[in-house]
C-alpha cells in the first residue's frame, strides 16, 4: 500500500464528507478509520481510533481550553465589555471615525481577555453598532472594521488557540507562544486602525468630544480590574508562577468574582454560561479527539513526509515553500474553522518548516495568523457570520468593504512570516526560547 | 501470515515505535538494532521505526503492541509494571549494588528467562537499554543524605512506585510531564528532579539546576519488547535473529550498547564540564552509607505506612550498609515500595535475576 | 420523543457542567496546596486528565443532541428542500453508524481490554476511564436516531437549551 493511496483515501474521504455536511469531527474520524482499514484489520483499526480519541484529550494542559472558554463566557455576561469599550474610547476618541477606532481597540482588549474572536465580534461590535448607526457610519464599513479586528484576541494572550497548537505540536512552550503573539496581534489591530483611518477621512466621520479629567480617571479606574486580569494571568503563566491550566482556573475565579461584584451575573445567566461553555468545550474536545486518530494514521502511513517531499520538490527555496504554505493555509481558512485547521495542518506543516529552519513558536504565530484571516473570509467564517449578524446586514454588503482590510492583513501576514523577530523578539528577550 | 513466507523481495515488516528524539543514544541504538536484524535475516525481516512519539505516548504504544497493531516498542520498564508486576522491581532504589552488578544481573540467564516469561501479558522482552543510573539534581540544595530531601519538591515519573519511593525518602513528589520540568525548575515550582545525566545535557536542565548529586539511587532499564502475536508468527530462527539483534547490542563489555553507555557514563562522572553550564556535580561515594544506608533505612522502615513500604527478602542492595531488611525480623516486610508484593510470580523471577548474580 | 430529548439534553449538559466545575476546583486546589500548604497534591493531575476525557465525550454527545457540532453546510444549503433533507439524513446517519460501530462497540472492547490495567498513580482501572466513551456513544446513537427522524420528516423537536445554542461559538 503506497503513501499516495493512503493520502488520496484520507483527504478524498475527508473532503467529500466535509462538503456533504457531515460534522467535521466525524468526517475526520471516518476518513482516518477508512485509511487505517487499508493496512489494519477492522478490530485493530477501531481499537486505535478509540484509543487515540481517548488519549488525544487526556491532557492536563488541554484543560486550559475549556477553562478559558468558561472565563470568556462569564466575561461576556458580566458587564466587562462595556467598561472596556469606555476605556478604549479614551485611547482612540480623538481620531476621525472614533467609533470605528474604539471598536478596534475594544476588540483588542476584549479579545485579549476572552481569547475568543467570535465573542469579541459579538460583544464589542454588538455594543458599538447602535452608536455607529446614529452617527450614520456606512454599514459595510462599520461591520468590516469590527470583523477585521475581532481576531486580534487570538494572537494577543491569553488564547486557547495557542494552547491547542502547543499540544498538537508536541509541547511547544505556552509561555513562549503567548509572548510571541503579542507584537503580531497588536500590529494586526494597528493595521486595521490605519486602513479605517483612511476610510474615515474619506467618509468624513466625526471624532468624539474629549472627556474631562475626572471622567478619564473614573473610566480608567473602572476598567482597571479587567485589564489587571490579563496582567495577572499572562504574567503568572509567563513568569512561571503557575501553569497555563492553573492560570485559566484563576481566570475563571477572577471573572466570576468580578462579575458578581459588577452584579452582571445572575443565577439564570450563570447556568446559561455553564451550559454554553460545556457545548463549546464538547465540540472542541471531540474535534481534538477525532484529530488525534487522524494524526496517528498520517504518521503510520508516512503522509507528512510525503507531502513534505512533494512540497520541497516544487522548490527547495525557503521563500517559495513558505509562500506556498501560506497560500494553502489561506485557502483552507476560507472554509475551515480555526480549531480543526490547527489540528489537521500542524502535523503536516510543522516538520516541513522546522526542517527549513523556522522555529515552532514562530510557525504557531504564522498558522494562527492565517486562521485569523480565515475566520473573516466567505464562504465559512465564524467571525464574518457573527460580525454581519450583529451589524444586521448581509455578507454581500460587507464583503466589498472588507477587501482592503484583508489585503492589508495578508501583507502583514507575509511580513510576520518572513521577519521572525516580530514573533520571536519578545519571548527571546524574556529568555523563553 | 508467519515469517516463513518472508523473503528478501517481500520482507516481513516489523513496526517499532518509541518516544525518544533522534539524537538520544538509545534512539541510535534502536536504529542499529534495526540494521542488525535486517542483516542477520538476509533482508527477510525489516524494522520500520516510528520515533519521537509520533504514534503516541509510551502507555499508548505498549497498548498498541499488546493489541497487535504494532510489533515492537521501547518503554521505560516501570511502564510495563501495569501488565507484569515484575518490572516494578527495577524502579526500587539500590536494587543494584553498582553498575557491575546491574549489567551482570541484566545479562544473566535468569533475567533472560524473566524477559521471555511475559507472553501472557501480550509481549515478550527482547532486550534492555540503559542510560545510566538516576540521581537527584536540584536548583541549589546538594543531596548528600535523605534528610537533605526534606521539604524539597522533586519531580518524579508518574508511576505510583516512584511517588512512594520519594515519600519514603522524605521528599515531596511532584508529578509532571518531563517537558514541563525545565520551566518548573527555572521558576521554583519544583526544587529538583531525578534522572540520568542526559536530562542536564540533552534537555538542558543543567541551565537551571545548579547541583547534580550522584546519589545513583535507581538504575531503571528501558525495555525493548515485541508483541506476543508477532513473536508467535516468527520462526525459531527468526526469533533468534530478533533476540540476538537486541542481545548483541547489550552483551557485556566487549560489544554494543551497554559498553558504550558505560563509557559515556564514566566520561560524565570524570569531567563535570560535560554535565551542564554552571551545574556543580556532587560526586558522592557510590556506596557511601551516609547516602545509601539511610535511604534504604527510610525506604524499608516505610514512610507513612510501614506495611506498604518494605523491601522483601531477597531484594537487597543494602549489603554492607548494616541495614539488611532481611534482618528486620518482621514478616510483614514482604512488600516493596509501590505496594508491590515480593512473592508474585513475575516479581520473584525478576528478583531471582537480580539475586542470582549476587550469590555468585 | 420530546421527553427523551429533554432528558438527554438536561442530563448530558449538567453532567458535563458538573465535571467542568469539579476540574476548575481541582486546578485551584492544586495551586492552593502548592503555595499555601506548601505540599502539592499529586492526585489532581491524573484525576483532571480522566475527567477531561469524560467531559470531551459527554460534552461531545451533548453537542450531538443539540445539533451544535461544526459542519460545512454551505454546499448542502444550495440544494433544494428535498435533496437537502436526504443529505442531512445521510450525515446524521453516518454519525449514528460511527457512534454505534466504533464508539459503542469499539469503545466497549477497549474498556474491557484495559479493565485489569491499573492507572499509574491512583490505581483506578484504565478500563473505567475508557468506559465513559461507549456510554456517551449510546447517547449519541439515541440522539442521532431522533436527528435522522427529524431530517426525514422535516420536523424539529425543541430542546430545553435551544436559546443558548448560538453562544456555543468556538474560539
Ligand atoms: Na487573547
Ligand atoms: Na473563512
Amino acid at each position: 500500500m503506497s503513501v499516495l493511496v493512503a493520502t488520496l483515501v484520507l483527504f478524498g474521504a475527508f473532503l467529500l464528507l466535509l462538503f456533504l455536511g457531515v460534522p467535521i469531527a466525524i468526517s475526520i474520524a471516518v476518513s482516518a478509520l477508512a485509511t487505517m482499514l487499508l493496512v489494519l484489520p477492522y478490530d485493530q483499526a477501531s481499537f486505535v481510533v478509540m484509543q487515540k480519541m481517548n488519549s488525544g484529550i487526556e491532557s492536563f494542559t488541554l484543560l486550559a481550553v475549556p477553562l478559558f472558554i468558561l472565563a470568556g463566557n462569564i466575561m461576556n455576561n458580566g458587564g466587562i465589555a462595556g467598561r472596556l469599550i469606555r476605556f478604549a474610547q479614551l485611547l482612540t476618541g480623538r481620531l476621525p471615525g472614533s467609533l470605528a477606532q474604539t471598536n478596534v481597540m475594544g476588540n483588542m482588549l476584549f479579545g485579549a481577555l476572552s481569547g475568543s474572536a467570535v465573542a469579541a465580534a459579538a460583544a464589542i461590535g454588538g455594543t458599538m453598532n447602535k452608536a455607529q448607526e446614529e452617527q450614520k457610519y456606512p454599514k459595510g464599513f462599520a461591520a468590516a472594521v469590527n470583523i477585521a479586528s475581532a481576531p486580534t484576541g487570538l494572537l494577543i494572550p491569553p488564547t486557547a488557540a495557542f494552547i491547542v497548537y502547543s499540544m498538537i505540536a508536541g509541547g511547544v512552550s505556552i509561555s513562549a507562544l503567548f509572548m510571541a503573539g503579542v507584537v503580531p496581534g497588536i500590529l494586526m489591530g494597528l493595521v486595521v486602525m490605519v486602513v479605517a483611518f483612511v476610510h474615515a477621512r474619506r467618509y468624513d466621520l466625526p471624532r468624539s468630544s474629549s472627556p474631562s479629567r475626572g471622567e478619564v480617571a473614573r473610566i480608567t479606574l473602572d476598567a482597571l480590574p479587567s485589564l489587571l486580569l490579563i496582567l495577572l494571568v499572562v504574567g503568572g503563566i509567563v513568569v512561571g508562577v503557575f501553569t497555563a491550566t492553573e492560570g485559566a482556573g484563576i481566570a475563571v475565579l477572577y471573572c466570576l468574582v468580578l462579575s458578581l461584584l459588577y452584579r452582571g451575573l445572575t443565577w439564570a445567566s450563570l447556568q446559561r454560561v455553564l451550559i454554553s461553555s460545556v457545548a463549546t468545550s464538547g465540540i472542541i474536545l471531540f474535534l481534538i479527539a477525532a484529530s488525534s486518530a487522524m494524526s496517528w494514521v498520517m504518521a503510520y502511513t508516512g503522509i507528512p513526509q510525503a507531502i513534505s517531499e512533494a512540497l520541497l520538490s516544487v522548490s527547495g527555496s525557503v521563500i517559495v515553500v513558505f509562500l506556498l504554505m501560506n497560500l494553502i493555509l489561506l485557502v483552507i481558512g476560507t472554509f475551515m474553522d480555526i480549531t480543526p485547521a490547527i489540528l489537521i495542518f500542524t502535523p503536516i506543516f510543522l516538520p516541513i518548516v522546522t526542517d527549513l529552519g523556522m522555529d515552532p513558536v514562530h510557525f504557531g504565530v504564522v498558522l494562527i495568523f492565517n486562521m485569523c484571516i480565515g475566520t473573516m473570509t466567505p464562504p465559512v467564517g465564524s467571525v464574518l457570520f457573527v460580525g454581519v449578524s450583529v451589524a444586521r446586514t448581509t455578507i454581500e454588503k460587507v464583503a466589498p468593504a472588507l477587501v482592503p482590510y484583508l489585503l492589508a492583513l495578508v501583507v502583514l501576514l507575509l511580513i510576520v512570516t518572513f521577519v521572525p523577530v516580530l514573533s520571536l523578539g519578545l519571548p527571546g528577550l524574556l529568555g523563553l526560547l | 501470515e508467519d515469517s516463513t513466507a518472508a523473503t528478501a523481495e517481500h520482507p516481513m515488516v516489523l513496526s517499532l515505535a518509541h518516544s525518544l528524539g533522534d539524537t538520544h543514544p538509545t534512539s541510535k541504538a534502536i536504529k542499529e538494532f534495526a540494521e542488525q536484524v535486517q542483516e542477520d535475516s538476509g533482508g527477510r525481516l525489516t524494522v520500520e521505526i516510528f520515533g519521537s512519539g509520533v504514534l503516541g505516548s509510551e502507555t499508548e504504544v505498549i497498548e498498541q503492541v499488546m493489541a497487535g497493531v504494532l510489533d515492537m516498542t521501547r518503554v521505560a520498564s516501570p511502564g510495563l509494571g501495569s501488565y507484569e508486576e515484575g518490572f516494578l522491581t527495577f524502579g526500587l532504589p539500590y536494587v543494584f549494588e553498582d553498575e557491575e552488578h546491574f549489567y551482570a544481573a541484566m545479562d544473566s540467564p535468569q533475567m533472560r528467562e524473566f524477559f521471555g516469561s511475559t507472553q501472557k501479558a501480550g509481549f515478550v522482552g527482547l532486550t534492555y537499554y540503559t542510560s545510566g543510573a538516576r540521581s537527584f539534581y536540584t536548583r541549589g540544595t546538594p543531596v548528600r543524605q535523605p534528610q537533605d530531601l526534606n521539604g524539597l519538591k522533586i519531580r518524579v515519573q508518574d508511576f505510583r512506585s516512584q511517588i512512594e519511593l520519594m515519600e519514603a525518602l522524605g521528599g515531596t513528589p511532584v508529578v509532571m510531564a518531563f517537558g514541563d520540568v525545565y520551566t518548573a525548575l527555572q521558576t521554583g515550582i519544583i526544587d529538583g528532579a531525578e534522572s540520568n545525566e542526559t536530562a542536564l545535557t540533552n534537555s538542558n536542565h543543567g541551565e537551571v539546576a545548579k547541583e547534580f548529586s550522584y546519589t545513583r539511587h535507581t538504575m531503571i532499564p528501558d525495555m525493548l519488547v515485541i508483541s506476543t502475536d508477532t513473536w508467535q508468527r516468527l520462526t525459531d530462527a527468526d526469533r533468534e535473529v530478533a533476540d540476538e539483534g537486541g542481545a548483541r547490542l547489550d552483551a557485556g563489555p566487549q560489544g554494543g550498547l551497554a559498553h558504550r553507555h558505560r563509557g559515556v557514563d564514566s566520561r560524565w562522572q570524570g569531567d563535570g564540564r560535560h554535565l551542564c553550564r554552571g551545574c556543580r556535580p556532587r560526586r558522592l561515594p557510590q556506596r557511601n552509607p551516609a547516602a545509601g544506608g539511610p535511604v534504604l533505612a527510610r525506604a524499608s522502615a516505610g514512610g507513612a505506612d510501614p506495611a506498604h513500604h518494605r523491601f522483601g527478602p531477597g531484594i537487597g542492595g543494602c549489603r554492607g550498609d548494616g541495614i539488611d531488611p532481611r534482618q528486620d525480623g518482621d514478616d510483614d516486610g514482604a512488600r516493596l515500595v509501590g505496594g508491590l508484593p515480593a512473592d508474585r510470580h513475575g516479581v520473584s523471577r525478576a528478583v531471582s535475576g537480580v539475586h542470582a548474580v549476587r550469590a555468585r | 420523543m420530546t421527553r427523551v430529548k429533554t432528558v438527554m439534553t438536561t442530563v448530558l449538559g449538567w453532567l458535563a457542567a458538573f465535571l467542568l466545575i469539579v476540574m476548575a476546583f481541582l486546578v485551584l486546589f492544586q495551586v492552593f496546596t502548592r503555595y499555601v500548604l506548601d505540599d502539592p497534591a499529586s492526585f489532581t493531575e491524573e484525576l483532571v486528565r480522566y475527567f477531561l476525557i469524560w467531559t470531551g465525550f459527554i460534552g461531545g454527545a451533548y453537542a450531538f443532541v443539540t445539533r451544535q457540532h461544526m459542519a460545512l453546510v454551505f454546499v448542502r444549503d444550495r440544494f433544494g428542500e428535498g435533496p437537502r433533507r436526504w443529505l442531512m439524513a445521510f450525515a446524521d446517519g453516518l454519525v449514528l453508524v460511527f457512534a454505534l460501530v466504533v464508539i459503542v462497540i469499539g469503545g466497549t472492547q477497549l474498556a474491557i481490554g484495559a479493565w485489569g490495567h491499573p492507572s499509574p498513580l491512583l490505581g483506578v482501572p484504565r478500563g473505567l476511564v475508557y468506559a465513559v466513551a461507549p456510554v456517551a456513544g449510546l447517547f449519541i446513537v439515541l440522539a442521532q436516531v431522533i436527528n435522522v427522524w427529524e431530517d426525514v420528516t422535516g420536523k424539529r423537536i425543541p430542546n430545553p437549551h435551544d436559546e443558548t445554542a448560538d453562544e456555543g461559538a468556538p474560539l
Side-chain angles (χ1 to χ4, degrees):
Chain A
M1 207 277 319
S2 74
V3 186
L4 185 67
V5 175
T7 313
L8 288 177
V9 169
L10 184 69
F11 289 107
F14 172 63
L15 289 175
L16 179 72
L17 296 176
L18 190 69
F19 285 106
L20 283 176
V22 176
I24 302 179
I26 299 296
S27 307
I28 290 173
V30 169
S31 55
L33 181 69
T35 315
M36 283 179 202
L37 289 174
L38 296 174
V39 281
L40 295 174
Y42 176 76
D43 59 325
Q44 292 185 359
S46 79
F47 169 87
V48 173
V49 170
M50 282 316 293
Q51 189 208 38
K52 297 308 291 188
M53 283 189 75
N54 276 282
S55 64
I57 49 178
E58 184 184 350
S59 154
F60 183 78
T61 307
L62 187 59
L63 174 61
V65 173
L67 291 182
F68 274 129
I69 288 169
L70 179 58
N73 276 339
I74 294 174
M75 217 177 288
N76 254 347
N77 284 266
I80 292 176
R83 288 175 171 79
L84 289 179
I85 288 177
R86 284 193 290 279
F87 181 69
Q89 206 158 12
L90 280 189
L91 303 174
T92 52
R94 315 290 290 280
L95 296 167
S98 65
L99 292 179
Q101 304 292 0
T102 302
N103 193 340
V104 177
M105 188 61 79
N107 273 339
M108 288 167 74
L109 292 172
F110 189 82
L113 266 170
S114 73
S116 164
V118 176
I124 307 296
T127 315
M128 298 296 298
N129 188 52
K130 204 165 162 246
Q132 287 176 318
E133 270 178 1
E134 278 165 11
Q135 294 197 9
K136 305 249 176 325
Y137 276 49
K139 266 204 166 164
F141 165 74
V145 171
N146 181 36
I147 290 165
S149 59
T152 47
L154 293 175
L155 287 166
I156 304 173
T159 142
F162 276 138
I163 294 166
V164 173
Y165 169 76
S166 151
M167 234 193 58
I168 304 306
V172 175
S173 155
I174 291 173
S175 308
L177 284 167
F178 275 9
M179 288 297 98
V182 171
V183 173
I186 291 174
L187 283 178
M188 190 176 176
L190 288 179
V191 163
V192 176
M193 287 174 99
V194 169
V195 181
F197 178 84
V198 175
H199 280 171
R201 289 247 297 237
R202 190 185 309 153
Y203 297 131
D204 199 20
L205 294 171
R207 302 161 201 261
S208 300
S209 53
S210 2
S212 71
R213 240 186 231 168
E215 267 179 320
V216 172
R218 191 181 52 78
I219 290 170
T220 310
L221 217 61
D222 218 22
L224 211 57
S226 309
L227 298 174
L228 214 58
L229 176 62
I230 307 181
L231 215 64
L232 181 77
V233 171
V234 176
I237 293 170
V238 168
V239 174
V241 182
F242 36 70
T243 63
T245 309
E246 293 166 347
I250 289 167
V252 169
L253 187 65
Y254 191 107
C255 290
L256 197 63
V257 170
L258 205 58
S259 298
L260 290 175
L261 287 178
Y262 291 162
R263 296 172 198 284
L265 208 57
T266 61
W267 175 234
S269 63
L270 185 62
Q271 287 186 337
R272 265 205 311 279
V273 159
L274 269 173
I275 289 296
S276 118
S277 306
V278 160
T280 311
S281 306
I283 293 165
I284 292 181
L285 290 173
F286 206 76
L287 257 173
I288 295 175
S291 310
S292 58
M294 188 189 239
S295 39
W296 188 91
V297 77
M298 284 202 280
Y300 189 73
T301 53
I303 290 175
Q305 295 96 301
I307 293 181
S308 162
E309 278 160 27
L311 250 183
L312 292 174
S313 72
V314 175
S315 167
S317 146
V318 174
I319 293 178
V320 175
V321 172
F322 285 3
L323 281 175
L324 261 174
M325 178 186 76
N326 274 328
L327 185 69
I328 295 172
L329 288 174
L330 283 174
V331 171
I332 298 298
T334 58
F335 63 87
M336 197 178 280
D337 213 323
I338 178 160
T339 314
I342 296 172
L343 296 172
I344 294 172
F345 291 95
T346 302
I348 293 177
F349 284 124
L350 184 62
I352 302 178
V353 297
T354 46
D355 267 1
L356 295 173
M358 189 185 255
D359 191 288
V361 171
H362 183 198
F363 174 67
V365 173
V366 172
L367 177 67
I368 307 284
F369 202 120
N370 267 292
M371 294 308 133
C372 285
I373 297 178
T375 59
M376 311 168 195
T377 54
V380 181
S382 46
V383 172
L384 175 75
F385 295 161
V386 172
V388 166
S389 100
V390 296
R392 274 170 268 147
T393 171
T394 60
I395 292 181
E396 286 73 19
K397 286 208 181 99
V398 175
L402 200 53
V403 171
Y405 296 92
L406 287 176
L407 288 177
L409 289 176
V410 168
V411 172
L412 180 61
L413 168 67
L414 293 179
I415 296 173
V416 168
T417 305
F418 290 104
V419 187
V421 72
L422 290 178
S423 309
L424 301 180
L426 191 55
L429 215 63
L430 296 170
L432 296 169
L433 290 177
Chain B
E1 87 274 34
D2 62 30
S3 68
T4 42
T7 61
E9 288 74 39
H10 298 283
M12 181 175 181
V13 181
L14 302 171
S15 51
L16 191 168
H18 65 82
S19 58
L20 303 170
D22 282 348
T23 54
H24 195 283
T26 303
S27 190
K28 290 176 185 160
I30 287 171
K31 260 181 220 141
E32 285 172 33
F33 163 77
E35 285 159 15
Q36 190 83 56
V37 166
Q38 181 152 15
E39 191 187 316
D40 291 356
S41 66
R44 293 174 49 259
L45 301 179
T46 60
V47 179
E48 189 180 0
I49 299 172
F50 299 92
S52 307
V54 289
L55 297 184
S57 67
E58 293 196 1
T59 313
E60 289 170 68
V61 165
I62 183 72
E63 283 180 359
Q64 289 168 21
V65 165
M66 291 193 298
V69 178
L70 296 175
D71 299 307
M72 288 182 269
T73 183
R74 181 239 58 133
V75 289
S77 52
L80 295 169
S82 297
Y83 319 107
E84 169 50 65
E85 285 178 324
F87 284 102
L88 291 172
T89 311
F90 301 126
L92 295 169
Y94 298 103
V95 231
F96 300 107
E97 286 187 8
D98 49 30
E99 287 184 12
E100 299 301 324
H101 178 215
F102 174 81
Y103 290 115
M106 295 307 287
D107 294 335
S108 67
Q110 287 88 344
M111 197 59 84
R112 218 143 256 291
E113 194 195 324
F114 168 62
F115 289 169
S117 71
T118 58
Q119 288 210 27
K120 260 208 190 120
F123 57 85
V124 176
L126 284 179
T127 188
Y128 68 94
Y129 298 103
T130 172
S131 307
R134 297 174 76 89
S135 293
F136 291 105
Y137 55 98
T138 53
R139 302 176 74 209
T141 322
V143 181
R144 292 194 187 85
Q145 49 199 356
Q147 289 87 310
D148 294 335
L149 288 167
N150 283 347
L152 293 190
K153 295 189 267 285
I154 307 289
R155 181 266 173 179
V156 294
Q157 294 167 293
D158 61 345
F159 301 117
R160 193 153 54 109
S161 58
Q162 299 315 100
I163 290 192
E164 293 186 8
L165 165 64
M166 192 53 54
E167 282 167 351
L169 293 177
T172 305
V174 177
V175 174
M176 64 169 59
F178 187 72
D180 293 336
V181 171
Y182 184 95
T183 326
L185 273 173
Q186 192 175 33
T187 56
I189 287 182
I190 54 172
D191 301 300
E194 52 94 53
S195 184
N196 48 56
E197 299 88 334
T198 49
L200 300 184
T201 50
N202 287 11
S203 312
N204 297 321
H205 293 179
E207 294 170 7
V208 284
K210 294 297 161 217
E211 294 282 351
F212 190 92
S213 309
Y214 273 102
T215 49
R216 297 188 192 87
H217 51 278
T218 49
M219 297 176 98
I220 304 180
D222 295 337
M223 289 299 302
L224 182 67
V225 297
I226 187 166
S227 145
T228 304
D229 257 18
T230 314
W231 187 242
Q232 283 167 349
R233 284 189 287 122
L234 293 180
T235 61
D236 281 350
D238 287 337
R239 285 185 185 183
E240 197 80 0
V241 166
D243 220 1
E244 283 300 304
R248 196 168 305 175
L249 288 168
D250 62 34
Q254 56 278 67
L257 181 76
H259 183 58
R260 211 167 23 257
H261 272 270
R262 210 178 318 189
V264 172
D265 207 9
S266 58
R267 178 171 59 92
W268 266 322
Q269 289 173 31
D271 186 353
R273 277 174 307 175
H274 287 284
L275 272 173
C276 49
R277 265 187 272 155
C279 176
R280 268 191 302 174
R282 292 278 176 180
R283 229 162 298 150
L284 310 180
Q286 199 153 355
R287 301 307 306 148
N288 180 359
V295 169
L296 274 174
R298 283 293 300 272
S300 62
D305 178 7
H308 285 75
H309 300 279
R310 297 277 173 180
F311 281 87
I315 299 253
C318 39
R319 219 173 41 170
D321 294 345
I323 314 164
D324 191 334
R326 278 169 289 184
Q327 296 165 5
D328 206 337
D330 185 354
D331 288 339
D332 202 28
R335 291 183 77 86
L336 306 170
V337 173
L340 171 67
D343 54 353
R344 290 277 183 84
H345 182 68
V347 178
S348 54
R349 271 172 190 277
V351 166
S352 82
V354 172
H355 197 55
V357 181
R358 191 189 306 284
R360 270 201 312 226
Chain C
M1 215 155 18
T2 313
R3 183 79 175 274
V4 175
K5 198 167 188 176
T6 304
V7 170
M8 277 204 292
T9 310
T10 313
V11 168
L12 292 171
W14 284 107
L15 204 56
F18 172 73
L19 285 170
L20 189 59
I21 295 168
V22 170
M23 288 189 295
F25 267 111
L26 285 174
V27 162
L28 291 169
F29 178 72
Q30 181 171 308
V31 180
F32 178 77
T33 54
R34 185 167 69 237
Y35 285 112
V36 183
L37 304 184
D38 202 34
D39 181 19
S42 63
F43 70 94
T44 47
E45 205 257 355
E46 192 173 287
L47 205 55
V48 158
R49 282 193 278 121
Y50 299 160
F51 283 173
L52 195 64
I53 296 180
W54 297 1
T55 311
F57 278 98
I58 293 170
Y62 173 82
F64 279 113
V65 177
T66 54
R67 288 182 176 269
Q68 293 187 68
H69 275 285
M70 274 189 252
L72 279 196
V73 293
F74 72 94
V75 178
R76 182 168 84 193
D77 286 350
R78 293 184 169 237
F79 288 90
E81 169 72 17
R84 190 169 70 230
R85 269 197 205 169
W86 288 108
L87 278 175
M88 287 173 73
F90 165 77
D92 281 325
L94 186 68
V95 176
L96 196 162
V97 172
F98 181 82
L100 185 66
V101 176
V102 180
I103 302 183
V104 176
I105 298 176
T108 305
Q109 283 166 345
L110 180 75
I112 291 172
W115 201 266
H117 304 155
S119 74
L121 288 190
L122 300 172
V124 292
R126 292 285 302 176
L128 186 65
V129 178
Y130 292 150
V132 169
V135 173
L138 282 176
F139 277 104
I140 300 175
V141 168
L142 201 54
Q144 290 306 112
V145 169
I146 297 176
N147 287 343
V148 171
W149 179 84
E150 286 181 350
D151 298 336
V152 174
T153 59
K155 292 180 183 142
R156 179 82 201 267
I157 300 169
N159 76 64
H161 293 162
D162 262 345
E163 83 272 25
T164 61
D166 57 340
E167 284 174 43
L171 300 184

